[in-house]
Amino acid sequence: MVKIDLEGLVREFADGTKIGPIDLNIQDGEFLTILGPSGSGKTTTLRMIAGFIEVEQGSLLFDGQDMVGIPPRERNIGMVFQSVALFPNMSVYQNIAFGPEMAEWPHKKTVERVEELADLLGIRNLLFRKVSEISGGEAQRVGLARSLAKEPSLLLLDEPLSALDPQLRERLQTEIRRIQKKVKVTTIYVTHSQDEAFAISDRVAIINDGRIEQVGTPEELYDRPANEFVARFLGSGNVLQGTVTQAHGGKLCVDIMGIQLPVDGKCEVGDSVKFSIKPEDIMISIESDNSVATGIVTSILPQVGSFKINIDFQDTQIIVLTYDEDLVSKLRENGNKRVSFSFRPNLAVNLID
Amino acid sequence: MRRHEYWTYIVLVFPIILLSIFLIFPVGAVIIYGLFSGTGSSFMETISAYYTQFTIAFTLVQASISTILALLIGLPGALLLARLRFRGKSLIRALIIVPFVLPPIVVVVGFIQMFGSFGIIDSILMLITKSTTSILNLADGVVGIVLAHTFYNAPLVMLLVSASMERLNPEIEESAEILGADSVSRFRRITLPHILPSLSASAILTFLFCFMSFPIVLAFGNGVYRTLEVQIWNAFRWSDYGEASSLVLIQILITISLAVSYIKLGRVTENQSGPTSTIRTTTLGKYKLWEKIAITAYIIVTLFLIGGPIISIIRAAFFDPIRQVYTLDGFSYLVRIGSNGGFQPLINSLFYGGLATILSIIIGIPLAYAHRSKTRGLPSLSSTMILLPLGISSITVAYGLMTVIAVPTGLNINPWPIIVIAQTIIGLPFTARSIEIGLKSIDPNILDQADSLGATRIQRLLFVEVPLLVPSILVGAVFAFAMAIGEMSATLFIALPQNYTLAVAIYDNLGVRHFVEAGACSLILVALCVVAFLAMEKISEGSTGGTL
């Protein structure tokens, strides 16, 4: 379909907020999600790609061709909006057929395309309903069909599922992914939900404060967050900070307020380092030993298949995931709540600021 | 039925009973009386008369032309108002409602001054051509009638349509854009269908107002061009009750059906309005050059047609076109006491207007509550009562009240209470609607909160509901007052010379070519209206459009 390159895209608004410079490459047929907290600039970036927001600097290349200054309707894009925004004065059929009609497709071809998409999305029985007579989930399907009708080379989705209940959202995620694979359209998806991004994407771009923090597959992002923001935002890491007291062949000893912790990494003695450890990589034991790190258990939350334990370590919250029910019942019985914890040095991930 | 429910019921039903006595009964009775008492022409004689047919045709034609013109001028304004982002937009929006609430007879004065002989435009043309006689007189005849109606109703179209446009979800337009629709197809396929209900509603409302227009047609029609409304008044003056009642019947059938279709459309619009979305706006700088020129030209024409007459009222108050001098005679007339003075009409205007305002509020509050009551039948009964005056013309109300109430009770010797009743009935739809909107916007959770904190019914009403309602009651009061002091039709119909209000005095002075006196009275009325409406904008913070 099309390969997208964002090169140094910048937009500054009258109120002082600045987006960019953004550099991002999306492969032909790839499903990329832009993930970030609200106000991070993810929708603005998407709207710059669509052409609704003007780009001030940088270039936006579709297969090498710069799209800056070209009106949205000539970019051959399909887009599903946050509010879905179906045309209320038209039937489902008319909504889906709108794009082909504007492109002046022959009537027969339009009808065939609408029917094909309706079958693909399972909305054939809705075609002659009014938009006011269909449910939220059905509206999403119609919106998706409408955006795909003209066979766009790029599909943009702006938090299309945010208004739906969790179960329906999950079902539609799978469906969007299935259809995207089937029609092989390059897709950019915007969301603030990590679960959604990880469930649906080939790659995820984490955005914060108008800048791309890290791009990678969900596994890469989760296992090796590049910086503190990514680690904290994905909830994958307990971020700890300390000073290197010993460095020997990639093995460090980091001092955190008097507690020495072994960590792998390449640093000099005296450097200040930040590193993250995933909750499931931390081991707890009830026998508290003064030579290792200890903390106070503040809460134990049962989750599906595991327990989430919060530990207060030198006023820092440390999250630990465990599957060990015996440990949990012992922790619950334990009066003084003080536990010691440790992790394998090679599982700590050094963070760059 | 529990005791307090019983009392609630009485309070809610009371305004409905009042309106039945002072509106439905008189109008119904006068139609029957006129048609069957044999005084004057019969129904068949009336409708087969050439003159009646001409009047009906003229009424319909002028209303149609005025409506089309009002739409043509109002629609671009509505689009601009919704789409364009500029400084002082809220002020412009507040000012746009002013022409609509100006008393029609004041509009007549402004029009004569702006477009009439020796008016501002005529004077300029005379200066250019060095002529000593009048060249152009647009404030006369059919042209004057249609222009004045357009002046009146184009702002209405702007307000209603722009309000509906602003509720268009910008993502819907963007969807269309990204699907390949250019600005023309976006307007045709998306925007136009979206505003169509409000466009039709404002068209019907405009048609209705032009159809029932009285003062403008009376002043510019020169007795040749008459609407049904004018002809009813004429027939009454010549004591041809048969003709008057026949015409009332014909008029009522048309106006009620128009009013009903307006309300039906209103329901559709309310259902379709999006929740919080607001249309995408742009600054003037984003437009192309030819678009900028078109927009500027439009604004100049609009200012000329709509702003011009209002500003000219100031000149009208000081400039005597007959003697061609500036004078303060108009204002000395206003303070002159006695039968030839303007002081009595001024006092009458304030007195009747004030009373009508108080009555409108007293009746309007229970009427609005009845509209929201859960008792079966009560809401629809009350909304009928609120909207009936919209479909029954002022002259019809006056005709009914005079014949059925005033004459039998002897009030026709000094009919001032009848004037107050007529003014109350005419302003009531606006008052009740404003209060009803206020009631609707009260969050029911707040009332439940009061209940849960142990407030009694009365406490809840006095300390929670009424304080929340005060702004909309004030808005309703301003509307009632503005309607009452500007009302000329029913007042002229009912009043004897000692009951003349300022509005009637303006007409009276125009008739004897006392232009500065009319101008001064108009300026006072305009000042009162503008002050009232600026106060209202302040109270309601720009939500007055909904009252229409």
Side-chain angles (χ1 to χ4, degrees), chain A residues 148-278:
Chain A
L148 291 170
K150 225 174 55 174
E151 295 173 339
S153 49
L154 173 65
L155 177 64
L156 305 176
L157 300 127
D158 183 8
E159 304 206 33
L161 306 181
S162 58
L164 300 177
D165 63 77
Q167 282 157 2
L168 187 58
R169 196 184 309 166
E170 230 167 88
R171 217 167 64 220
L172 281 167
Q173 280 167 15
T174 334
E175 201 151 318
I176 288 174
R177 184 62 182 158
R178 173 179 69 85
I179 285 155
Q180 192 267 342
K181 276 196 169 143
K182 183 146 186 161
V183 298
K184 298 187 185 68
V185 59
T186 312
T187 302
I188 305 176
Y189 191 97
V190 157
T191 182
H192 61 263
S193 154
Q194 182 202 336
D195 295 344
E196 200 164 293
F198 279 20
I200 209 168
S201 328
D202 293 325
R203 283 195 305 152
V204 175
I206 311 266
I207 189 171
N208 180 39
D209 243 353
R211 303 282 190 106
I212 303 283
E213 299 277 357
Q214 192 178 2
V215 188
T217 63
E219 295 74 26
E220 282 167 6
L221 293 173
Y222 190 72
D223 288 342
R224 312 225 61 92
N227 55 36
E228 188 179 353
F229 174 80
V230 176
R232 287 193 191 281
F233 183 70
L234 296 182
S236 60
N238 293 298
V239 178
L240 293 172
Q241 186 173 17
T243 318
V244 179
T245 52
Q246 289 172 38
H248 193 71
K251 305 271 177 202
L252 310 176
C253 188
V254 180
D255 175 285
I256 302 168
M257 301 169 98
I259 307 288
Q260 307 290 321
L261 290 170
V263 174
D264 284 5
K266 289 187 181 69
C267 282
E268 302 288 314
V269 172
D271 282 358
S272 169
V273 289
K274 267 188 191 162
F275 58 91
S276 78
I277 314 123
K278 283 187 280 174

Side-chain angles (χ1 to χ4, degrees), chain A residues 47 50 52 54 72-73 77 79 81-90 98-99 101-102 146 150, chain B residues 169 171-183 185-186 188-190 193-194 272 280 286:
Chain A
R47 295 171 73 81
F52 292 126
E54 280 173 43
R73 64 173 181 277
I77 291 174
M79 186 162 176
F81 291 85
Q82 200 163 0
S83 66
V84 194
L86 296 180
F87 306 129
N89 53 312
M90 301 179 197
F98 191 87
E101 270 175 23
M102 287 296 132
R146 183 178 69 176
K150 225 174 55 174
Chain B
N169 180 354
E171 291 192 343
I172 286 186
E173 282 190 284
E174 287 172 351
S175 297
E177 191 172 354
I178 210 145
L179 290 169
D182 57 18
S183 55
S185 14
R186 280 208 301 278
R188 199 171 55 84
R189 301 279 308 261
I190 309 295
H194 176 83
Q272 281 190 347
R280 197 160 35 130
K286 298 274 182 202

Side-chain angles (χ1 to χ4, degrees), chain B residues 40-61:
Chain B
S41 332
S42 74
F43 186 76
M44 286 317 289
E45 278 165 15
T46 307
I47 59 161
S48 50
Y50 167 76
Y51 199 83
T52 310
Q53 288 166 1
F54 176 77
T55 302
I56 295 175
F58 175 73
T59 310
L60 291 170
V61 168

